[in-house]
Amino acid sequence: DGGITQSPKYLFRKEGQNVTLSCEQNLNHDAMYWYRQDPGQGLRLIYYSQIVNDFQKGDIAEGYSVSREKKESFPLTVTSAQKNPTAFYLCASSPPGLQAEKLFFGSGTQLSVL
Amino acid sequence: QKEVEQNSGPLSVPEGAIASLNCTYSDRVSQSFFWYRQYSGKSPELIMSIYSNGDKEDGRFTAQLNKASQYVSLLIRDSQPSDSATYLCAVIRSTLGRLYFGRGTQLTVWP
């Protein structure tokens, strides 16, 4: 089955620690995205990538980093510089052309601070 | 001013009623509008898209767009308890070509 796989489902971060959230897709989509969702809030864009080896900052990129070495993979690192990382993180991808507006989401990772 | 504004609710309707969800957007030249449904603890799923003024119907769902008023709505007819979820409005700004989401409206349909 084609889809987007996020792991882990739950993640705990200690003070000063960097953690990496995994996102893998087998939909052959060029574009991939990372969103953050806080309780009662909409989705805010962290980073996005339209093509391999290229990515752009979204609205709340500070304290986060990404890489896009393979088309299938778009991992997100939450660095120690992100002082309030507790949130639900969603990875998404979109197909090329006119369908690029429609996002396909992974199941999400809930990150909490110990 | 936020890009996309939604009445955050919560909205509570009885089973069988019409639920009306509203959304306004700030960029007058926005072209594409979407409604996503998100169950608690799950990821959003696209349920409706609309691109031109007027109504678009899909089963029990109707999306309405009024570009002059910068307003988009979602009507759910014959609401069911399974419709209980948060509904996210999303808009593509023509200049940037990426989605902006509202904070969502939580809908509860009680039996």
Side-chain angles (χ1 to χ4, degrees), chain A residues 11-14 17-21 76-80 111:
Chain A
L11 185 59
F12 298 90
R13 195 191 87 167
K14 295 180 181 178
Q17 185 182 38
N18 293 351
V19 293
T20 297
L21 285 60
L76 174 74
T77 296
V78 184
T79 74
S80 57
L111 175 62

Side-chain angles (χ1 to χ4, degrees), chain A residues 26-86:
Chain A
N26 60 5
L27 299 168
N28 200 33
H29 288 171
D30 288 312
M32 297 187 73
Y33 310 80
W34 274 106
Y35 287 91
R36 169 178 171 146
Q37 187 175 33
D38 295 278
Q41 302 293 316
L43 279 62
R44 292 185 291 168
L45 185 63
I46 306 172
Y47 269 98
Y48 62 105
S49 169
Q50 304 279 30
I51 197 169
V52 174
N53 292 323
D54 188 44
F55 49 83
Q56 288 78 41
K57 293 182 179 180
D59 301 318
I60 55 166
E62 185 174 350
Y64 300 96
S65 66
V66 293
S67 63
R68 187 83 187 278
E69 298 176 1
K70 297 186 301 181
K71 187 175 185 177
E72 302 79 18
S73 179
F74 191 40
L76 174 74
T77 296
V78 184
T79 74
S80 57
Q82 173 50 247
K83 298 306 181 186
N84 184 23
T86 297

Side-chain angles (χ1 to χ4, degrees), chain B residues 1-23:
Chain B
Q1 181 183 9
K2 286 190 178 295
E3 303 287 347
V4 182
E5 298 266 16
Q6 292 183 252
N7 47 337
S8 58
L11 177 65
S12 182
V13 301
E15 184 174 357
I18 296 175
S20 177
L21 306 161
N22 304 316
C23 173

Side-chain angles (χ1 to χ4, degrees), chain B residues 3-89:
Chain B
E3 303 287 347
V4 182
E5 298 266 16
Q6 292 183 252
N7 47 337
S8 58
L11 177 65
S12 182
V13 301
E15 184 174 357
I18 296 175
S20 177
L21 306 161
N22 304 316
C23 173
T24 58
Y25 57 93
S26 61
D27 186 353
R28 181 169 292 278
V29 296
S30 295
Q31 296 295 318
S32 306
F33 308 87
F34 307 88
W35 285 98
Y36 283 80
R37 177 176 62 199
Q38 185 178 25
Y39 292 112
S40 181
K42 304 296 185 182
S43 57
E45 57 177 324
L46 180 66
I47 56 171
M48 289 288 285
S49 58
I50 187 166
Y51 304 95
S52 55
N53 279 328
D55 294 0
K56 178 182 177 182
E57 188 174 314
D58 184 1
R60 295 186 296 111
F61 297 97
T62 299
Q64 299 175 317
L65 175 61
N66 183 328
K67 289 187 178 181
S69 301
Q70 295 175 238
Y71 176 91
V72 58
S73 65
L74 179 69
L75 301 177
I76 306 175
R77 292 183 302 281
D78 189 23
S79 295
Q80 301 297 310
S82 59
D83 294 326
S84 298
T86 295
Y87 290 80
L88 299 164
C89 175

